[in-house]
Each structure stands twice: as structure tokens, then as C-alpha cells.
Amino acid sequence: MITKRISTEAILEKLQAKRAAKKPIMIASAGSGLVAKILEESGVDCINTFSGARLRANGMGTMSMMWPILDSNHQTLTYTREDIMPALKGQSFVCACLNANDPLRDMRMVLNDCLAMGVNSVSNIGPSISYVDKDSEIFNVLTSAGITLQNEIDMLKLAREEMGMVTIGLTFTKDDALELVEGARPHIFCYHAGTTKGGRTGYDNGVTIAETARETEDVYQAIRKIDPNIILVGHGAAMETPEDAQYMLDHTSGDGFWTGSSTERLPIERAVTAAAAEFTSLTFNS
């Protein structure tokens, strides 16, 4: 097996061509090689890998990656190298979502590891301090310990400016979005409106798709004042189904969307449940 390398120039050229043709850009998470293979065959532009997706594939919730039960970057790099890259043919590019606040690693070395395995794109969501509510005690404790959004900005900036990688920034709040885009100038920015609802481990905070679209568009407009050329995609909250994603395309000025559970956990839950139910309902002839 020889992994096909996709250059930064080729990635950006394809994305800009889709943008110019008014075709939605699609990013999707994969926690296993099988899901990654199917996503690529379906025409997904970018497949992202992160410890949360791997945990979802094991039946846990995405947010379980927030607890100190695993080495997030180790998980991401290992399964990306062993499960994801061998499954792909090079039609989709892979973005590794990294923990830029890793106290055990020099992030330059982590980025070099990504490049060595054929991953030419990174994001800051593996996990991000932007997940944590700013008015919480845990946020104060984390930031006082040196776990900051600035470390994520520095990692994205290093990846783009010095290492020539495609960068995808992501935050959960408007203030964090403006700070990250101003400081890191990522090629792509994703506004994460909240954990995707639905299924066994989803979370529904009551926000509607209309509210998700309005909040996302407000962030888009603010970001475009900083960088008019940035590629913008939306993710999460009430965007669960293809109809929801279409609503987002119709009611925001974004360039596409990012799916996680919607094209990974939820379809697997439904398909396996239905297939298993058919088999378990079988009987012997009397």
C-alpha cells in the first residue's frame, strides 16, 4: 500500500473551483477506515480524523475525548495512520484534528508526523478550549494551567505559514471565532453551533435549525470583515439531516458544511439496528 499524497495547491485549487461553481464543500468525520472509504466514494471533499470520531465508532459520545482518559493526539495519529490512510485512494484529502494544548509533544513534531503519513491538513478541534463555557470554573482552571485558545492559534499559524499545510479553524463562539481567524488566518473556518442532536449519544439543547442558521450567519458576516476570501462551513446543533444541511445552505452565506455524527454515528446506529432486528426475529420452522 502506497498512500497517495495530495498537495496543498491541489487541495485549495479543488476547493476554490467548487466554490466558484457554487457547489457545496463537504467535510465529514470518520472514526474507522470503512466509514472513510464510503465517504470518499460518495464524493466528500475532506475527511477529518480526531479522537472524538474514534470514540464515537466505539460507542462513546464525542465529548468523552474531553476527559483525561486518553492521549488524544496519540489516538488521532495512530488510527489515522493505520485505519484511515490505507482505506483511501487520494480523492479526498484528510484533515487531522489535533490537541494543540498537548503537554507531552512539540506541535511541530506532531505536524511533521502528519505530513509523513500523507496528511496535509490540520484543525484545532482535537479537543479545543472553545468547547468550554467561558463563565465556568473549569474554564478558569484550564486557562490558568496554560490550556488556551492562543496555543491553538499558534499551531494553525505554524501549520499554514511555515509548513505549508491546509488549515481548518473551528470554534464554538463568535468571540473565539474572531480571535482565531484574526490570529491564524486559516484557509477554512467552521463555526460549530453545538453538539449534534439525535441518536444514542447526541445532545439536543432545544435550538432549532432556523436558530442554528441565524447564529451561524452572524458569525460568518463578522468573519468576512476580517478575511473576505476565507472558506466558511457550518456544523452541529440542529443540523442533523440532509434537509437540515440544505436549510443551512439556503439560509446562510457559507460555502458548505461539516458533518460528524450525521454521516457516521447516526447512519450506523440505524442500519445496524434494522439489520440486527431482522436477524433476531428469525425463527425455526416447527
Short mmCIF file of all heavy atoms in Angstrom, two decimals, residues 115-162:
data_model
loop_
_atom_site.label_atom_id
_atom_site.label_comp_id
_atom_site.label_asym_id
_atom_site.label_seq_id
_atom_site.Cartn_x
_atom_site.Cartn_y
_atom_site.Cartn_z
N LEU A 115 2.45 15.08 8.13
CA LEU A 115 2.97 15.17 6.76
C LEU A 115 3.60 13.86 6.32
O LEU A 115 3.44 13.44 5.17
CB LEU A 115 3.98 16.31 6.66
CG LEU A 115 3.42 17.73 6.78
CD1 LEU A 115 4.55 18.75 6.87
CD2 LEU A 115 2.51 18.06 5.60
N ALA A 116 4.29 13.19 7.24
CA ALA A 116 4.96 11.94 6.90
C ALA A 116 3.98 10.84 6.51
O ALA A 116 4.30 9.98 5.68
CB ALA A 116 5.81 11.46 8.09
N MET A 117 2.76 10.87 7.07
CA MET A 117 1.79 9.83 6.74
C MET A 117 0.87 10.23 5.59
O MET A 117 -0.02 9.48 5.21
CB MET A 117 0.95 9.47 7.98
CG MET A 117 -0.03 10.52 8.42
SD MET A 117 -1.08 9.95 9.81
CE MET A 117 0.02 10.08 11.19
N GLY A 118 1.08 11.45 5.03
CA GLY A 118 0.27 11.89 3.90
C GLY A 118 -0.90 12.77 4.26
O GLY A 118 -1.77 13.03 3.43
N VAL A 119 -0.93 13.25 5.51
CA VAL A 119 -1.99 14.16 5.95
C VAL A 119 -1.47 15.59 5.80
O VAL A 119 -0.55 15.99 6.51
CB VAL A 119 -2.39 13.88 7.41
CG1 VAL A 119 -3.37 14.93 7.92
CG2 VAL A 119 -3.00 12.49 7.53
N ASN A 120 -2.10 16.36 4.92
CA ASN A 120 -1.59 17.69 4.61
C ASN A 120 -2.52 18.79 5.11
O ASN A 120 -2.48 19.91 4.64
CB ASN A 120 -1.39 17.85 3.10
CG ASN A 120 -0.42 18.95 2.76
OD1 ASN A 120 0.48 19.26 3.55
ND2 ASN A 120 -0.57 19.57 1.61
N SER A 121 -3.38 18.45 6.07
CA SER A 121 -4.31 19.43 6.61
C SER A 121 -4.55 19.15 8.08
O SER A 121 -4.60 17.99 8.50
CB SER A 121 -5.64 19.37 5.84
OG SER A 121 -6.58 20.28 6.39
N VAL A 122 -4.70 20.22 8.88
CA VAL A 122 -4.94 20.06 10.31
C VAL A 122 -5.99 21.06 10.79
O VAL A 122 -6.19 22.11 10.20
CB VAL A 122 -3.66 20.23 11.14
CG1 VAL A 122 -2.69 19.08 10.89
CG2 VAL A 122 -2.99 21.57 10.88
N SER A 123 -6.64 20.68 11.90
CA SER A 123 -7.59 21.55 12.57
C SER A 123 -7.28 21.57 14.05
O SER A 123 -6.50 20.75 14.55
CB SER A 123 -9.02 21.07 12.32
OG SER A 123 -9.96 21.92 12.97
N ASN A 124 -7.92 22.48 14.77
CA ASN A 124 -7.65 22.68 16.20
C ASN A 124 -8.72 22.09 17.11
O ASN A 124 -8.79 22.42 18.29
CB ASN A 124 -7.56 24.18 16.50
CG ASN A 124 -8.88 24.89 16.23
OD1 ASN A 124 -9.38 24.86 15.10
ND2 ASN A 124 -9.46 25.52 17.23
N ILE A 125 -9.55 21.16 16.59
CA ILE A 125 -10.69 20.71 17.36
C ILE A 125 -10.44 19.42 18.14
O ILE A 125 -11.38 18.75 18.55
CB ILE A 125 -11.91 20.51 16.43
CG1 ILE A 125 -13.19 20.27 17.23
CG2 ILE A 125 -11.66 19.42 15.42
CD1 ILE A 125 -14.41 19.93 16.43
N GLY A 126 -9.21 19.04 18.40
CA GLY A 126 -8.99 17.71 18.95
C GLY A 126 -8.48 17.56 20.36
O GLY A 126 -7.46 16.89 20.53
N PRO A 127 -9.09 18.05 21.43
CA PRO A 127 -10.23 18.96 21.50
C PRO A 127 -9.79 20.41 21.54
O PRO A 127 -8.59 20.70 21.50
CB PRO A 127 -10.89 18.58 22.83
CG PRO A 127 -9.72 18.19 23.69
CD PRO A 127 -8.73 17.52 22.76
N SER A 128 -10.75 21.33 21.64
CA SER A 128 -10.48 22.76 21.69
C SER A 128 -10.98 23.35 23.00
O SER A 128 -12.02 22.94 23.52
CB SER A 128 -11.17 23.48 20.52
OG SER A 128 -11.10 24.89 20.68
N ILE A 129 -10.27 24.32 23.53
CA ILE A 129 -10.71 25.03 24.73
C ILE A 129 -12.01 25.78 24.45
O ILE A 129 -12.75 26.11 25.38
CB ILE A 129 -9.61 25.99 25.24
CG1 ILE A 129 -9.96 26.58 26.61
CG2 ILE A 129 -9.36 27.09 24.23
CD1 ILE A 129 -10.04 25.59 27.72
N SER A 130 -12.31 26.00 23.18
CA SER A 130 -13.54 26.71 22.83
C SER A 130 -14.78 25.90 23.18
O SER A 130 -15.89 26.44 23.25
CB SER A 130 -13.55 27.05 21.33
OG SER A 130 -14.63 27.91 20.99
N TYR A 131 -14.63 24.59 23.42
CA TYR A 131 -15.73 23.75 23.88
C TYR A 131 -16.26 24.23 25.24
O TYR A 131 -17.41 24.01 25.58
CB TYR A 131 -15.25 22.31 24.09
CG TYR A 131 -15.24 21.41 22.89
CD1 TYR A 131 -14.03 20.95 22.35
CD2 TYR A 131 -16.42 20.97 22.31
CE1 TYR A 131 -14.01 20.09 21.27
CE2 TYR A 131 -16.40 20.10 21.22
CZ TYR A 131 -15.20 19.66 20.72
OH TYR A 131 -15.17 18.81 19.65
N VAL A 132 -15.39 24.82 26.05
CA VAL A 132 -15.69 25.05 27.47
C VAL A 132 -16.31 26.43 27.69
O VAL A 132 -15.80 27.44 27.19
CB VAL A 132 -14.41 24.91 28.31
CG1 VAL A 132 -14.72 25.04 29.79
CG2 VAL A 132 -13.72 23.58 28.02
N ASP A 133 -17.41 26.48 28.43
CA ASP A 133 -18.09 27.75 28.71
C ASP A 133 -17.16 28.71 29.43
O ASP A 133 -16.51 28.36 30.42
CB ASP A 133 -19.32 27.50 29.58
CG ASP A 133 -20.42 26.75 28.84
OD1 ASP A 133 -20.42 26.80 27.60
OD2 ASP A 133 -21.27 26.12 29.51
N LYS A 134 -17.13 29.95 28.94
CA LYS A 134 -16.19 30.94 29.49
C LYS A 134 -16.50 31.34 30.93
O LYS A 134 -15.63 31.82 31.65
CB LYS A 134 -16.21 32.20 28.60
CG LYS A 134 -15.79 31.96 27.16
CD LYS A 134 -14.34 31.53 27.07
CE LYS A 134 -13.87 31.41 25.63
NZ LYS A 134 -14.62 30.40 24.85
N ASP A 135 -17.75 31.20 31.35
CA ASP A 135 -18.11 31.62 32.71
C ASP A 135 -18.05 30.47 33.71
O ASP A 135 -18.55 30.58 34.83
CB ASP A 135 -19.51 32.24 32.73
CG ASP A 135 -20.57 31.28 32.20
OD1 ASP A 135 -20.20 30.20 31.70
OD2 ASP A 135 -21.77 31.63 32.28
N SER A 136 -17.40 29.37 33.30
CA SER A 136 -17.33 28.20 34.18
C SER A 136 -16.02 28.17 34.96
O SER A 136 -15.00 28.72 34.54
CB SER A 136 -17.46 26.91 33.36
OG SER A 136 -16.35 26.75 32.49
N GLU A 137 -16.06 27.49 36.10
CA GLU A 137 -14.86 27.34 36.91
C GLU A 137 -13.81 26.50 36.19
O GLU A 137 -12.61 26.80 36.27
CB GLU A 137 -15.23 26.68 38.24
CG GLU A 137 -14.06 26.56 39.22
CD GLU A 137 -13.61 27.90 39.79
OE1 GLU A 137 -14.32 28.91 39.58
OE2 GLU A 137 -12.55 27.92 40.43
N ILE A 138 -14.25 25.48 35.45
CA ILE A 138 -13.30 24.62 34.74
C ILE A 138 -12.54 25.40 33.69
O ILE A 138 -11.35 25.16 33.46
CB ILE A 138 -14.02 23.39 34.13
CG1 ILE A 138 -13.00 22.40 33.55
CG2 ILE A 138 -15.02 23.81 33.06
CD1 ILE A 138 -12.09 21.77 34.53
N PHE A 139 -13.20 26.38 33.05
CA PHE A 139 -12.50 27.21 32.07
C PHE A 139 -11.38 28.00 32.74
O PHE A 139 -10.26 28.09 32.24
CB PHE A 139 -13.47 28.16 31.37
CG PHE A 139 -12.80 29.07 30.36
CD1 PHE A 139 -12.54 28.63 29.08
CD2 PHE A 139 -12.42 30.36 30.71
CE1 PHE A 139 -11.91 29.46 28.15
CE2 PHE A 139 -11.79 31.20 29.80
CZ PHE A 139 -11.54 30.73 28.51
N ASN A 140 -11.68 28.59 33.89
CA ASN A 140 -10.67 29.36 34.62
C ASN A 140 -9.51 28.48 35.05
O ASN A 140 -8.34 28.88 34.98
CB ASN A 140 -11.30 30.02 35.84
CG ASN A 140 -12.32 31.07 35.46
OD1 ASN A 140 -12.22 31.69 34.40
ND2 ASN A 140 -13.32 31.27 36.30
N VAL A 141 -9.83 27.26 35.49
CA VAL A 141 -8.78 26.34 35.92
C VAL A 141 -7.90 25.92 34.74
O VAL A 141 -6.67 25.91 34.83
CB VAL A 141 -9.39 25.09 36.59
CG1 VAL A 141 -8.32 24.04 36.85
CG2 VAL A 141 -10.09 25.47 37.89
N LEU A 142 -8.54 25.61 33.61
CA LEU A 142 -7.78 25.17 32.43
C LEU A 142 -6.87 26.28 31.91
O LEU A 142 -5.69 26.05 31.64
CB LEU A 142 -8.75 24.73 31.33
CG LEU A 142 -9.50 23.42 31.58
CD1 LEU A 142 -10.58 23.21 30.51
CD2 LEU A 142 -8.54 22.23 31.58
N THR A 143 -7.41 27.47 31.76
CA THR A 143 -6.60 28.56 31.21
C THR A 143 -5.47 28.96 32.16
O THR A 143 -4.38 29.32 31.72
CB THR A 143 -7.47 29.78 30.89
OG1 THR A 143 -8.24 30.16 32.04
CG2 THR A 143 -8.42 29.48 29.73
N SER A 144 -5.74 28.87 33.46
CA SER A 144 -4.67 29.19 34.42
C SER A 144 -3.54 28.17 34.35
O SER A 144 -2.40 28.45 34.72
CB SER A 144 -5.23 29.26 35.84
OG SER A 144 -5.62 27.97 36.29
N ALA A 145 -3.87 26.96 33.85
CA ALA A 145 -2.86 25.91 33.69
C ALA A 145 -2.17 25.99 32.33
O ALA A 145 -1.35 25.12 32.00
CB ALA A 145 -3.52 24.54 33.85
N GLY A 146 -2.50 27.01 31.53
CA GLY A 146 -1.83 27.19 30.25
C GLY A 146 -2.53 26.55 29.07
O GLY A 146 -1.97 26.48 27.97
N ILE A 147 -3.76 26.06 29.27
CA ILE A 147 -4.53 25.48 28.17
C ILE A 147 -5.37 26.60 27.56
O ILE A 147 -6.38 27.02 28.14
CB ILE A 147 -5.42 24.33 28.68
CG1 ILE A 147 -4.53 23.23 29.28
CG2 ILE A 147 -6.30 23.77 27.56
CD1 ILE A 147 -5.29 22.13 29.96
N THR A 148 -4.95 27.11 26.42
CA THR A 148 -5.53 28.34 25.89
C THR A 148 -5.84 28.24 24.40
O THR A 148 -5.29 27.40 23.68
CB THR A 148 -4.56 29.52 26.09
OG1 THR A 148 -3.38 29.30 25.27
CG2 THR A 148 -4.14 29.66 27.54
N LEU A 149 -6.73 29.14 23.96
CA LEU A 149 -7.03 29.25 22.54
C LEU A 149 -5.81 29.75 21.77
O LEU A 149 -5.61 29.39 20.60
CB LEU A 149 -8.21 30.19 22.32
CG LEU A 149 -8.72 30.31 20.88
CD1 LEU A 149 -9.31 29.00 20.39
CD2 LEU A 149 -9.76 31.44 20.76
N GLN A 150 -4.96 30.53 22.41
CA GLN A 150 -3.77 31.04 21.74
C GLN A 150 -2.85 29.91 21.29
O GLN A 150 -2.23 30.01 20.22
CB GLN A 150 -2.99 31.98 22.68
CG GLN A 150 -1.82 32.68 22.00
CD GLN A 150 -2.25 33.52 20.80
OE1 GLN A 150 -3.17 34.34 20.90
NE2 GLN A 150 -1.59 33.34 19.66
N ASN A 151 -2.76 28.84 22.07
CA ASN A 151 -1.96 27.70 21.64
C ASN A 151 -2.52 27.08 20.37
O ASN A 151 -1.76 26.61 19.50
CB ASN A 151 -1.90 26.65 22.75
CG ASN A 151 -1.05 27.08 23.93
OD1 ASN A 151 -0.14 27.88 23.78
ND2 ASN A 151 -1.36 26.56 25.11
N GLU A 152 -3.84 27.06 20.23
CA GLU A 152 -4.47 26.53 19.03
C GLU A 152 -4.21 27.45 17.83
O GLU A 152 -3.94 26.99 16.72
CB GLU A 152 -5.97 26.36 19.27
CG GLU A 152 -6.27 25.40 20.42
CD GLU A 152 -7.75 25.32 20.76
OE1 GLU A 152 -8.59 25.47 19.85
OE2 GLU A 152 -8.07 25.11 21.94
N ILE A 153 -4.26 28.74 18.08
CA ILE A 153 -3.96 29.72 17.03
C ILE A 153 -2.51 29.57 16.57
O ILE A 153 -2.22 29.56 15.37
CB ILE A 153 -4.21 31.15 17.56
CG1 ILE A 153 -5.72 31.37 17.77
CG2 ILE A 153 -3.64 32.20 16.60
CD1 ILE A 153 -6.05 32.66 18.49
N ASP A 154 -1.61 29.42 17.53
CA ASP A 154 -0.18 29.28 17.19
C ASP A 154 0.06 28.02 16.36
O ASP A 154 0.88 28.02 15.42
CB ASP A 154 0.66 29.24 18.45
CG ASP A 154 0.69 30.57 19.19
OD1 ASP A 154 0.35 31.59 18.57
OD2 ASP A 154 1.05 30.57 20.38
N MET A 155 -0.63 26.94 16.69
CA MET A 155 -0.46 25.69 15.94
C MET A 155 -0.95 25.84 14.51
O MET A 155 -0.28 25.43 13.55
CB MET A 155 -1.21 24.55 16.64
CG MET A 155 -1.00 23.18 16.02
SD MET A 155 -2.23 22.73 14.75
CE MET A 155 -3.70 22.50 15.74
N LEU A 156 -2.13 26.45 14.33
CA LEU A 156 -2.67 26.66 12.98
C LEU A 156 -1.77 27.59 12.17
O LEU A 156 -1.54 27.38 10.98
CB LEU A 156 -4.08 27.22 13.06
CG LEU A 156 -5.17 26.29 13.60
CD1 LEU A 156 -6.48 27.05 13.79
CD2 LEU A 156 -5.38 25.11 12.66
N LYS A 157 -1.27 28.61 12.81
CA LYS A 157 -0.38 29.56 12.14
C LYS A 157 0.91 28.89 11.69
O LYS A 157 1.39 29.09 10.56
CB LYS A 157 -0.08 30.73 13.07
CG LYS A 157 0.65 31.89 12.41
CD LYS A 157 0.77 33.06 13.37
CE LYS A 157 1.48 34.25 12.71
NZ LYS A 157 1.60 35.39 13.64
N LEU A 158 1.48 28.06 12.56
CA LEU A 158 2.69 27.31 12.22
C LEU A 158 2.43 26.38 11.04
O LEU A 158 3.23 26.30 10.10
CB LEU A 158 3.15 26.50 13.43
CG LEU A 158 4.28 25.49 13.20
CD1 LEU A 158 5.56 26.20 12.79
CD2 LEU A 158 4.50 24.64 14.45
N ALA A 159 1.30 25.68 11.09
CA ALA A 159 0.97 24.72 10.03
C ALA A 159 0.84 25.42 8.68
O ALA A 159 1.31 24.91 7.65
CB ALA A 159 -0.32 23.99 10.37
N ARG A 160 0.20 26.58 8.65
CA ARG A 160 -0.01 27.26 7.38
C ARG A 160 1.23 28.01 6.90
O ARG A 160 1.65 27.85 5.75
CB ARG A 160 -1.18 28.25 7.50
CG ARG A 160 -1.35 29.08 6.23
CD ARG A 160 -2.61 29.90 6.18
NE ARG A 160 -2.68 30.61 4.90
CZ ARG A 160 -3.77 31.21 4.43
NH1 ARG A 160 -4.89 31.19 5.12
NH2 ARG A 160 -3.74 31.83 3.26
N GLU A 161 1.80 28.81 7.77
CA GLU A 161 2.85 29.73 7.34
C GLU A 161 4.21 29.08 7.17
O GLU A 161 4.96 29.44 6.26
CB GLU A 161 2.94 30.91 8.32
CG GLU A 161 1.69 31.77 8.35
CD GLU A 161 1.83 32.96 9.27
OE1 GLU A 161 2.90 33.12 9.89
OE2 GLU A 161 0.85 33.73 9.38
N GLU A 162 4.55 28.15 8.03
CA GLU A 162 5.89 27.56 7.98
C GLU A 162 5.92 26.17 7.35
O GLU A 162 6.95 25.78 6.78
CB GLU A 162 6.50 27.49 9.38
CG GLU A 162 6.77 28.85 10.00
CD GLU A 162 7.55 28.74 11.30
OE1 GLU A 162 8.41 27.84 11.40
OE2 GLU A 162 7.29 29.54 12.22
#
